[in-house]
Amino acid sequence: MELAQTEAGLLLLGFLFLVLALGVWIGLALMLVALAGIVVLPLLVPGMPAFPVEKVMGTAIWQAMASWTLAALPLFIWMGEILFRTRLSEDMFRGLAPWVQRLPGRLMHVNVIGCGIFAAVSGSSAATAATIGKMSLPALLSRGYHPPMAIGSLAGAGTLGLLIPPSIVMIVYGVAAEVSIVRLFIAGVIPGLLLMLLFSGYIAVWSLLNPSLTPPPDPPMPWRRRLRESGQLIPVMALIAFVMGSIYFGWATATEAAVFGVVGALALSAWGGTLTRESFVASLMGATRLSCMINLILAGAAFLTQAMAYSGIPAAMAQWVGAQGFSPYVIIACLTVIYLILGCFIDGISMIVLTASVVLPIVQKTGFDLLWFGVFIVLVVEMAQITPPVGFNLFVLQGLTGKDIFTVARHTLPFFLLMVAAVALVTVFPGLVTWLPATALAR
């Protein structure tokens, strides 16, 4: 029976890739595969029970969509859309530049710090890379900074949009794995700061080894002028601190914090003079389109997960993996390779929802904490954002620089390797992920 179920799982997987190759929307493709699992597989696999399609489909989609926690998704997306249409990137470059002039690497640190700040308001990797890149790349290249390093650091740091909360991918994983989104947000803070430290550390070491490729610093700026240049960043930093602080200290749920974030973003946009009828409608429609797309994928994934659970295929595959005697680290290494391969063809959200029904039982069987695995999978999805031929950050940088995607990928390789090191660190030292949520929950 287990062998037959494993073969059935491979058959469904093959059908899924066929449907995706035909260009069917991912959400609809997941629903088609789920229908095949409920209707067709019981006819092919002896002993596999049959279930009423309408009951399974209706129950699964309703349970997935009727979620107070999921309401945080469109709100955080809207907050990012509002701030995306402000002068935030200009203010960020002007405000950060005076403070990094004395660091080895100088203005290239603006890429890392700026992406880290914008990641905390957007939750999107591509939006982070595009917003910061539009301002920082022309400024860096015009000042004579080494183009490969400027491009690579931006592509690598742009991936922080997935890890530093509020993260859209984390919300999707939390819904799929039934893990607290608040705990996921808190768990992503230390790995996000670790990744920023690795990026900035590499930039500093590279600059010390290649002093001729780093332009001289700008003339010193008085402290009063530095503070004045950074003044526009203070309200944004205060908004980020309030949203994350309200989650960490338990003052608000993720959804309530998202409401505060939207109100704060609207207030900042109005205060900065960028809130117009056109920008308001554009931000609202942008958030609506992206939210609907993600919700369709989540609905299809919920239906597929339910269908797979009824068929017993994930449990059978988990038992098969457990029977092979693989060590936990071997399983994690294999999953890393699988996700990197998937990342060459599909986006991060689709990667998570496509694999959740099969991978999560295997992870639980192996004994890994699903909270830790959530941060691990986000890190691996980040790596997939800068792997050709379908690394979304590579496409963004290709559009900004005019270089071909493989040239951009070559410039990004050192930062990809740093992300591999980050994955290894959180695997060997899981406390980097689990300590902060445990501390917050103990309050």
Side-chain angles (χ1 to χ4, degrees):
M1 179 62 177
E2 289 184 8
L3 180 60
Q5 286 177 323
T6 304
E7 291 174 347
L10 294 175
L11 185 64
L12 284 180
L13 184 62
F15 179 58
L16 174 61
F17 281 115
L18 173 63
V19 175
L20 291 175
L22 293 174
V24 178
W25 289 353
I26 290 176
L28 299 180
L30 295 174
M31 292 186 184
L32 285 174
V33 175
L35 282 172
I38 291 180
V39 176
V40 179
L41 285 190
L43 303 177
L44 301 178
V45 181
M48 184 174 289
F51 295 92
V53 174
E54 65 280 0
K55 182 177 180 180
V56 176
M57 185 176 184
T59 302
I61 294 178
W62 172 257
Q63 288 178 345
M65 295 294 100
S67 168
W68 171 249
T69 303
L70 191 58
L73 179 66
L75 291 170
F76 277 125
I77 293 174
W78 192 19
M79 181 179 80
E81 288 280 343
I82 295 167
L83 293 175
F84 178 73
R85 288 166 172 80
T86 66
R87 294 189 297 268
L88 178 58
S89 60
E90 302 172 26
D91 296 337
M92 198 170 294
F93 189 88
R94 190 170 61 249
L96 293 176
W99 303 98
V100 298
Q101 286 287 351
R102 298 300 169 185
L103 297 177
R106 301 189 180 91
L107 294 183
M108 282 189 288
H109 292 284
V110 173
N111 279 346
V112 178
I113 301 172
C115 285
I117 294 173
F118 192 81
V121 297
S122 75
S124 167
S125 172
T128 299
T131 304
I132 302 302
K134 285 177 184 177
M135 178 54 59
S136 70
L137 267 187
L140 291 175
L141 297 180
S142 66
R143 285 172 165 83
Y145 282 86
H146 189 50
M149 197 62 179
I151 294 169
S153 61
L154 178 62
T159 63
L160 293 167
L162 297 182
L163 182 61
I164 294 181
S167 164
I168 297 171
V169 173
M170 280 187 176
I171 295 175
V172 171
Y173 173 82
V175 172
E178 298 182 356
V179 175
S180 166
I181 292 174
V182 169
R183 296 184 68 211
L184 278 170
F185 280 179
I186 298 172
V189 172
I190 291 179
L193 295 175
L194 171 66
L195 209 52
M196 291 178 65
L197 186 62
L198 289 174
F199 289 162
S200 283
Y202 174 74
I203 290 172
V205 171
W206 179 89
S207 299
L208 291 173
L209 296 176
N210 300 275
S212 62
L213 298 178
T214 305
D218 293 339
M221 185 180 292
W223 275 86
R224 181 174 297 180
R225 187 179 171 191
R226 287 191 195 185
L227 294 173
R228 188 167 62 249
E229 293 290 334
S230 305
Q232 298 296 324
L233 280 181
I234 294 175
V236 176
M237 297 297 292
L239 176 62
I240 294 170
F242 178 74
V243 170
M244 288 309 302
S246 65
I247 294 175
Y248 179 81
F249 291 106
W251 301 335
T253 64
T255 305
E256 292 165 347
V259 174
F260 297 148
V262 168
V263 173
L266 287 170
L268 289 180
S269 183
W271 179 62
T274 58
L275 182 62
T276 63
R277 178 183 177 85
E278 291 74 18
S279 66
F280 179 83
V281 172
S283 67
L284 189 58
M285 292 306 297
T288 301
R289 283 192 294 268
L290 183 55
S291 300
C292 289
M293 182 269 288
I294 294 174
N295 279 327
L296 179 61
I297 294 175
L298 287 175
F303 184 25
L304 178 59
T305 300
Q306 195 84 319
M308 295 282 277
Y310 283 147
S311 70
I313 291 173
M317 295 186 74
Q319 290 176 3
W320 180 84
V321 171
Q324 306 310 304
F326 297 134
S327 74
Y329 292 113
V330 169
I331 292 175
I332 287 298
C334 291
L335 289 175
T336 301
V337 173
I338 290 170
Y339 279 115
L340 287 179
I341 294 173
L342 284 175
C344 293
F345 305 100
I346 57 177
D347 64 280
I349 291 173
S350 302
M351 286 165 59
I352 291 175
V353 299
L354 281 174
T355 58
S357 61
V358 174
V359 169
L360 292 180
I362 294 175
V363 170
Q364 288 179 301
K365 186 80 173 180
T366 312
F368 286 106
D369 183 354
L370 288 183
L371 175 68
W372 174 87
F373 186 72
V375 174
F376 161 81
I377 200 173
V378 170
L379 277 169
V380 177
V381 168
E382 280 188 330
M383 294 163 62
Q385 297 292 304
I386 51 176
T387 54
V390 192
F392 280 80
N393 280 28
L394 300 183
F395 283 128
V396 171
L397 270 295
Q398 182 185 29
L400 290 175
T401 63
K403 299 181 180 294
D404 67 89
I405 195 167
F406 291 100
T407 300
V408 177
R410 189 168 64 251
H411 297 338
T412 311
L413 180 60
F415 296 90
F416 176 85
L417 297 177
L418 290 173
M419 296 172 77
V420 173
V423 170
L425 285 172
V426 300
T427 303
V428 177
F429 305 104
L432 291 170
V433 175
T434 58
W435 176 77
L436 194 58
T439 304
L441 292 175
R443 291 179 177 273

